[in-house]
Amino acid sequence: MTTAVLIGDSQMVSLLSHLTERLRARGIQVVASHAVAGWSTRSSVSGGRVAELMENEPDLVLLALGGNDTATFTLMTAMSELLRQIRAHNAPHIVWVGPAHSTVAEVQTRKQRVVDMQRVYLPNQGVEWHDAM
């Protein structure tokens, strides 16, 4: 059976039960998840949970992160480190869903900058990236 780990921010909190159900319908068992409102990519790196979440060596890691990030060099470093931590546990397939649209103009502007950075960076790191805008 194919296994998956789900990691993310409030977007993942909202999607967690739906994704778990949809993945199960496709023969994919969610073996661990960690979703926290307000969580950033950097929080995911420094939170120290990746090794614990990855202990079952899932076939798929699905991330929904970026809504609480700011497009800076620090974000690039955090994305790179998070991917390194995940790959240290032999995850063969990583899917990353970018942040969702915001109706608040200043938040949308910040999120769009993060999306623009993710769109360029993540596919070049061998990650299957999806725009959630």
Side-chain angles (χ1 to χ4, degrees):
M1 172 174 275
T2 302
T3 58
V5 167
L6 310 180
I7 301 171
D9 55 22
S10 59
Q11 183 175 334
M12 181 63 81
V13 170
S14 299
L15 293 171
L16 196 56
S17 63
H18 176 72
L19 283 172
T20 299
E21 184 179 302
R22 299 286 298 215
L23 290 168
R24 186 180 311 122
R26 288 173 173 72
I28 302 170
Q29 178 185 359
V30 175
V31 293
S33 64
H34 184 70
V36 180
W39 209 245
S40 67
T41 303
R42 190 174 349 170
S43 301
S44 298
V45 169
S46 63
R49 299 284 314 268
V50 173
E52 175 187 333
L53 293 166
M54 299 296 295
E55 62 188 18
N56 292 318
E57 295 190 354
D59 304 297
L60 166 69
V61 176
L62 178 58
L63 301 137
L65 282 167
N68 302 302
D69 291 331
T70 304
T72 63
F73 180 74
T74 305
L75 176 57
M76 295 283 275
T77 303
M79 287 189 294
S80 189
E81 177 57 19
L82 182 56
L83 293 173
R84 187 198 66 73
Q85 288 179 15
I86 290 168
R87 287 188 172 125
H89 296 276
N90 302 317
H93 193 78
I94 301 171
V95 176
W96 194 308
V97 178
H101 181 268
S102 175
T103 57
V104 178
E106 64 190 41
V107 174
Q108 178 59 22
T109 298
R110 177 182 52 78
K111 285 183 171 188
Q112 187 60 57
R113 288 183 183 133
V114 170
V115 165
D116 293 344
M117 182 180 277
Q118 288 180 346
R119 176 182 288 116
V120 172
Y121 181 73
L122 292 170
N124 286 320
Q125 302 305 307
V127 173
E128 182 182 330
W129 182 79
H130 295 272
D131 189 342
M133 287 284 179

